[in-house]
Each structure stands twice: as structure tokens, then as C-alpha cells.
């Protein structure tokens, strides 16, 4: 129940670790939600611009009584190109929002799983070694390191502490 330094592994400490991971994931979810909200605001503004351009174009077409002639270069070609560019930008941002929503769901799922693990450890485990083993297995099974860019997970720390085969 102790590591090489003589420190005792505590189930409560490992439960706290799981709760901390949950909190970090929740913070990251909030950041992604804020980013998605900003994108949605930009999309709304650009959609309003698209609608306005369509309305302006429709009014210009309705008011024309001139005889039809061969199409030539005029400002409507430029407007159409600008309209298509704006439409493309909106579609790209919509795809970004969808990707963020998918990523947020994955983070939410992992946060919920960490919460469940903490509850299980607290109620079912008395031995720190067993708790650590369960966390290591959990993090490996859920690819937890992929969710923490700025923090090392226990499974990464354990892998780093293993002697290299070259040693």
C-alpha cells in the first residue's frame, strides 16, 4: 500500500484526484461552450447579412422594367460572389460548431465517468493500491490523456515511471 518513497496511497486522495479531473473537464467544456456560442453569434450575424443581401437583390430585380439584354459584367456578379463567399463561411462555422458540440459531448461523457469512478472508489474500495489500479485501468480504457493537454494523468505518470527496455 505504499510506493517506493514510503508514501501511503489513500483512497480519499485518489477520489479527490477523480473529482479534480471532473472539474478540469467541466472547465474545458465551459470554454468550448463559450467558443461555440461566439461562433453561433457570428453565424447569426452572417445569416442576417445574407438575408439582407437577398432582400436587397429581390427588390432590385422586382423594380427593373428595362428590356432584357445580354448579360454583362455588373455589380450583381460581385454581389453573387460575395454572397457565395459569405454562405461558404457560414457553412464552415456551422461545421466547427458541430465539431465542438461532438467534442463537448465526449468531454461530458468522460467527466460523468470520472464522477462515477470516484463514487465507486469511495463506496467500494478500501485499499489505495486497488483504487490506483482501477484509475489506471479506467484512464487507459477511456484514453484519458487525450483530454488533458496541460496536465499529466495517472496513467501517463505510471507509464513514464516504468523503466525503459533499453535501460
Amino acid at each position: 500500500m505504499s510506493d517506493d518513497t514510503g508514501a501511503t496511497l489513500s483512497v480519499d486522495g485518489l477520489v479527490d484526484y477523480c473529482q479534480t479531473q471532473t472539474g478540469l473537464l467541466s472547465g474545458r467544456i465551459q470554454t468550448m461552450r463559450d467558443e461555440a456560442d461566439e461562433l453561433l453569434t457570428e453565424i447569426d450575424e452572417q445569416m442576417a447579412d445574407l438575408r439582407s443581401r437577398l432582400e436587397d437583390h429581390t427588390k432590385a430585380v422586382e423594380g427593373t422594367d428595362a428590356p432584357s439584354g445580354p448579360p454583362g459584367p455588373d455589380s450583381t456578379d460581385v454581389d453573387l460572389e460575395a454572397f457565395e463567399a459569405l454562405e461558404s463561411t457560414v457553412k464552415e462555422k456551422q461545421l466547427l460548431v458541430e465539431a465542438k458540440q461532438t467534442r463537448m459531448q465526449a468531454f461530458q461523457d468522460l467527466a460523468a465517468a470520472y464522477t462515477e469512478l470516484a463514487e465507486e472508489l469511495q463506496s467500494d474500495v478500501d485499499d489505495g493500491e486497488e483504487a490506483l489500479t482501477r484509475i489506471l485501468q479506467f484512464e487507459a480504457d477511456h484514453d484519458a490523456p487525450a483530454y488533458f493537454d496541460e496536465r499529466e494523468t495517472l496513467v501517463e505518470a505510471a507509464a513514464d515511471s516504468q523503466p525503459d527496455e533499453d535501460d
Side-chain angles (χ1 to χ4, degrees), residues 30-49:
Q30 184 59 48
T31 299
M32 286 186 282
R33 183 174 291 124
D34 292 345
E35 292 167 354
D37 287 346
E38 286 177 25
L39 283 170
L40 288 170
T41 298
E42 290 174 18
I43 289 170
D44 286 344
E45 291 169 357
Q46 290 173 334
M47 290 300 293
D49 187 25

mmCIF file of all heavy atoms in Angstrom, residues 30-49:
data_model
loop_
_atom_site.group_PDB
_atom_site.id
_atom_site.type_symbol
_atom_site.label_atom_id
_atom_site.label_comp_id
_atom_site.label_asym_id
_atom_site.label_seq_id
_atom_site.Cartn_x
_atom_site.Cartn_y
_atom_site.Cartn_z
ATOM 1 N N GLN A 30 -16.936 24.209 -20.468
ATOM 2 C CA GLN A 30 -17.451 25.575 -20.434
ATOM 3 C C GLN A 30 -16.721 26.454 -21.439
ATOM 4 O O GLN A 30 -17.333 27.260 -22.139
ATOM 5 C CB GLN A 30 -17.347 26.171 -19.025
ATOM 6 C CG GLN A 30 -17.954 27.544 -18.914
ATOM 7 C CD GLN A 30 -19.428 27.580 -19.294
ATOM 8 O OE1 GLN A 30 -20.212 26.753 -18.847
ATOM 9 N NE2 GLN A 30 -19.806 28.522 -20.144
ATOM 10 N N THR A 31 -15.404 26.275 -21.539
ATOM 11 C CA THR A 31 -14.621 27.047 -22.511
ATOM 12 C C THR A 31 -15.092 26.736 -23.930
ATOM 13 O O THR A 31 -15.286 27.644 -24.743
ATOM 14 C CB THR A 31 -13.118 26.727 -22.365
ATOM 15 O OG1 THR A 31 -12.708 27.092 -21.048
ATOM 16 C CG2 THR A 31 -12.288 27.465 -23.386
ATOM 17 N N MET A 32 -15.279 25.452 -24.229
ATOM 18 C CA MET A 32 -15.756 25.067 -25.564
ATOM 19 C C MET A 32 -17.159 25.615 -25.817
ATOM 20 O O MET A 32 -17.468 26.044 -26.928
ATOM 21 C CB MET A 32 -15.736 23.543 -25.723
ATOM 22 C CG MET A 32 -14.352 22.975 -25.891
ATOM 23 S SD MET A 32 -14.359 21.202 -26.253
ATOM 24 C CE MET A 32 -14.649 20.519 -24.635
ATOM 25 N N ARG A 33 -18.001 25.607 -24.773
ATOM 26 C CA ARG A 33 -19.370 26.138 -24.916
ATOM 27 C C ARG A 33 -19.314 27.627 -25.245
ATOM 28 O O ARG A 33 -20.048 28.113 -26.113
ATOM 29 C CB ARG A 33 -20.161 25.893 -23.634
ATOM 30 C CG ARG A 33 -21.614 26.337 -23.720
ATOM 31 C CD ARG A 33 -22.411 25.952 -22.486
ATOM 32 N NE ARG A 33 -22.559 24.507 -22.450
ATOM 33 C CZ ARG A 33 -22.180 23.730 -21.432
ATOM 34 N NH1 ARG A 33 -21.645 24.254 -20.362
ATOM 35 N NH2 ARG A 33 -22.350 22.426 -21.476
ATOM 36 N N ASP A 34 -18.425 28.361 -24.569
ATOM 37 C CA ASP A 34 -18.275 29.793 -24.842
ATOM 38 C C ASP A 34 -17.803 30.016 -26.280
ATOM 39 O O ASP A 34 -18.298 30.912 -26.979
ATOM 40 C CB ASP A 34 -17.292 30.436 -23.860
ATOM 41 C CG ASP A 34 -17.820 30.467 -22.430
ATOM 42 O OD1 ASP A 34 -19.034 30.268 -22.227
ATOM 43 O OD2 ASP A 34 -16.991 30.671 -21.513
ATOM 44 N N GLU A 35 -16.847 29.203 -26.729
ATOM 45 C CA GLU A 35 -16.353 29.316 -28.101
ATOM 46 C C GLU A 35 -17.466 29.011 -29.104
ATOM 47 O O GLU A 35 -17.606 29.699 -30.118
ATOM 48 C CB GLU A 35 -15.178 28.357 -28.320
ATOM 49 C CG GLU A 35 -13.926 28.736 -27.547
ATOM 50 C CD GLU A 35 -12.877 27.627 -27.527
ATOM 51 O OE1 GLU A 35 -13.146 26.493 -28.016
ATOM 52 O OE2 GLU A 35 -11.768 27.883 -27.020
ATOM 53 N N ALA A 36 -18.253 27.984 -28.815
ATOM 54 C CA ALA A 36 -19.370 27.633 -29.706
ATOM 55 C C ALA A 36 -20.403 28.753 -29.736
ATOM 56 O O ALA A 36 -20.942 29.083 -30.800
ATOM 57 C CB ALA A 36 -20.007 26.315 -29.262
ATOM 58 N N ASP A 37 -20.666 29.355 -28.579
ATOM 59 C CA ASP A 37 -21.621 30.468 -28.522
ATOM 60 C C ASP A 37 -21.142 31.649 -29.364
ATOM 61 O O ASP A 37 -21.940 32.295 -30.053
ATOM 62 C CB ASP A 37 -21.854 30.921 -27.067
ATOM 63 C CG ASP A 37 -22.697 29.932 -26.278
ATOM 64 O OD1 ASP A 37 -23.327 29.036 -26.892
ATOM 65 O OD2 ASP A 37 -22.715 30.048 -25.032
ATOM 66 N N GLU A 38 -19.839 31.932 -29.309
ATOM 67 C CA GLU A 38 -19.289 33.011 -30.132
ATOM 68 C C GLU A 38 -19.477 32.701 -31.617
ATOM 69 O O GLU A 38 -19.854 33.579 -32.401
ATOM 70 C CB GLU A 38 -17.802 33.206 -29.831
ATOM 71 C CG GLU A 38 -17.508 33.876 -28.505
ATOM 72 C CD GLU A 38 -16.010 33.968 -28.221
ATOM 73 O OE1 GLU A 38 -15.202 33.958 -29.166
ATOM 74 O OE2 GLU A 38 -15.656 34.055 -27.032
ATOM 75 N N LEU A 39 -19.197 31.458 -31.995
ATOM 76 C CA LEU A 39 -19.388 31.067 -33.397
ATOM 77 C C LEU A 39 -20.852 31.182 -33.806
ATOM 78 O O LEU A 39 -21.164 31.642 -34.905
ATOM 79 C CB LEU A 39 -18.895 29.635 -33.623
ATOM 80 C CG LEU A 39 -17.386 29.451 -33.710
ATOM 81 C CD1 LEU A 39 -17.027 27.964 -33.680
ATOM 82 C CD2 LEU A 39 -16.843 30.097 -34.972
ATOM 83 N N LEU A 40 -21.750 30.764 -32.919
ATOM 84 C CA LEU A 40 -23.180 30.856 -33.231
ATOM 85 C C LEU A 40 -23.620 32.308 -33.387
ATOM 86 O O LEU A 40 -24.439 32.618 -34.262
ATOM 87 C CB LEU A 40 -24.004 30.154 -32.145
ATOM 88 C CG LEU A 40 -23.906 28.630 -32.153
ATOM 89 C CD1 LEU A 40 -24.560 28.044 -30.897
ATOM 90 C CD2 LEU A 40 -24.529 28.043 -33.414
ATOM 91 N N THR A 41 -23.065 33.190 -32.569
ATOM 92 C CA THR A 41 -23.372 34.620 -32.704
ATOM 93 C C THR A 41 -22.892 35.133 -34.057
ATOM 94 O O THR A 41 -23.613 35.864 -34.752
ATOM 95 C CB THR A 41 -22.726 35.422 -31.556
ATOM 96 O OG1 THR A 41 -23.281 34.963 -30.312
ATOM 97 C CG2 THR A 41 -22.967 36.907 -31.712
ATOM 98 N N GLU A 42 -21.673 34.741 -34.444
ATOM 99 C CA GLU A 42 -21.147 35.142 -35.750
ATOM 100 C C GLU A 42 -22.020 34.584 -36.878
ATOM 101 O O GLU A 42 -22.298 35.279 -37.857
ATOM 102 C CB GLU A 42 -19.707 34.643 -35.919
ATOM 103 C CG GLU A 42 -18.704 35.355 -35.045
ATOM 104 C CD GLU A 42 -17.311 34.746 -35.137
ATOM 105 O OE1 GLU A 42 -17.025 34.007 -36.109
ATOM 106 O OE2 GLU A 42 -16.506 35.000 -34.221
ATOM 107 N N ILE A 43 -22.452 33.348 -36.737
ATOM 108 C CA ILE A 43 -23.314 32.733 -37.756
ATOM 109 C C ILE A 43 -24.621 33.511 -37.861
ATOM 110 O O ILE A 43 -25.086 33.801 -38.970
ATOM 111 C CB ILE A 43 -23.575 31.243 -37.432
ATOM 112 C CG1 ILE A 43 -22.297 30.428 -37.655
ATOM 113 C CG2 ILE A 43 -24.729 30.701 -38.270
ATOM 114 C CD1 ILE A 43 -22.372 29.003 -37.135
ATOM 115 N N ASP A 44 -25.218 33.848 -36.716
ATOM 116 C CA ASP A 44 -26.468 34.621 -36.725
ATOM 117 C C ASP A 44 -26.284 35.955 -37.442
ATOM 118 O O ASP A 44 -27.130 36.360 -38.244
ATOM 119 C CB ASP A 44 -26.959 34.870 -35.296
ATOM 120 C CG ASP A 44 -27.549 33.629 -34.645
ATOM 121 O OD1 ASP A 44 -27.856 32.653 -35.372
ATOM 122 O OD2 ASP A 44 -27.695 33.639 -33.404
ATOM 123 N N GLU A 45 -25.166 36.630 -37.148
ATOM 124 C CA GLU A 45 -24.904 37.924 -37.787
ATOM 125 C C GLU A 45 -24.726 37.755 -39.295
ATOM 126 O O GLU A 45 -25.246 38.550 -40.087
ATOM 127 C CB GLU A 45 -23.665 38.568 -37.178
ATOM 128 C CG GLU A 45 -23.863 39.030 -35.754
ATOM 129 C CD GLU A 45 -22.569 39.419 -35.048
ATOM 130 O OE1 GLU A 45 -21.477 39.271 -35.642
ATOM 131 O OE2 GLU A 45 -22.660 39.867 -33.890
ATOM 132 N N GLN A 46 -24.002 36.718 -39.689
ATOM 133 C CA GLN A 46 -23.770 36.498 -41.121
ATOM 134 C C GLN A 46 -25.042 36.041 -41.830
ATOM 135 O O GLN A 46 -25.272 36.406 -42.984
ATOM 136 C CB GLN A 46 -22.627 35.506 -41.316
ATOM 137 C CG GLN A 46 -21.294 36.121 -40.920
ATOM 138 C CD GLN A 46 -20.140 35.143 -40.926
ATOM 139 O OE1 GLN A 46 -20.318 33.948 -40.754
ATOM 140 N NE2 GLN A 46 -18.935 35.671 -41.125
ATOM 141 N N MET A 47 -25.869 35.285 -41.148
ATOM 142 C CA MET A 47 -27.156 34.886 -41.745
ATOM 143 C C MET A 47 -28.046 36.109 -41.933
ATOM 144 O O MET A 47 -28.735 36.217 -42.953
ATOM 145 C CB MET A 47 -27.857 33.841 -40.865
ATOM 146 C CG MET A 47 -27.179 32.477 -40.862
ATOM 147 S SD MET A 47 -27.098 31.720 -42.494
ATOM 148 C CE MET A 47 -28.814 31.414 -42.802
ATOM 149 N N ALA A 48 -28.028 37.011 -40.976
ATOM 150 C CA ALA A 48 -28.804 38.250 -41.122
ATOM 151 C C ALA A 48 -28.280 39.048 -42.311
ATOM 152 O O ALA A 48 -29.064 39.621 -43.085
ATOM 153 C CB ALA A 48 -28.723 39.078 -39.839
ATOM 154 N N ASP A 49 -26.962 39.086 -42.484
ATOM 155 C CA ASP A 49 -26.363 39.777 -43.626
ATOM 156 C C ASP A 49 -26.789 39.106 -44.935
ATOM 157 O O ASP A 49 -27.148 39.786 -45.903
ATOM 158 C CB ASP A 49 -24.837 39.775 -43.495
ATOM 159 C CG ASP A 49 -24.148 40.614 -44.558
ATOM 160 O OD1 ASP A 49 -24.786 41.552 -45.097
ATOM 161 O OD2 ASP A 49 -22.966 40.339 -44.854
#
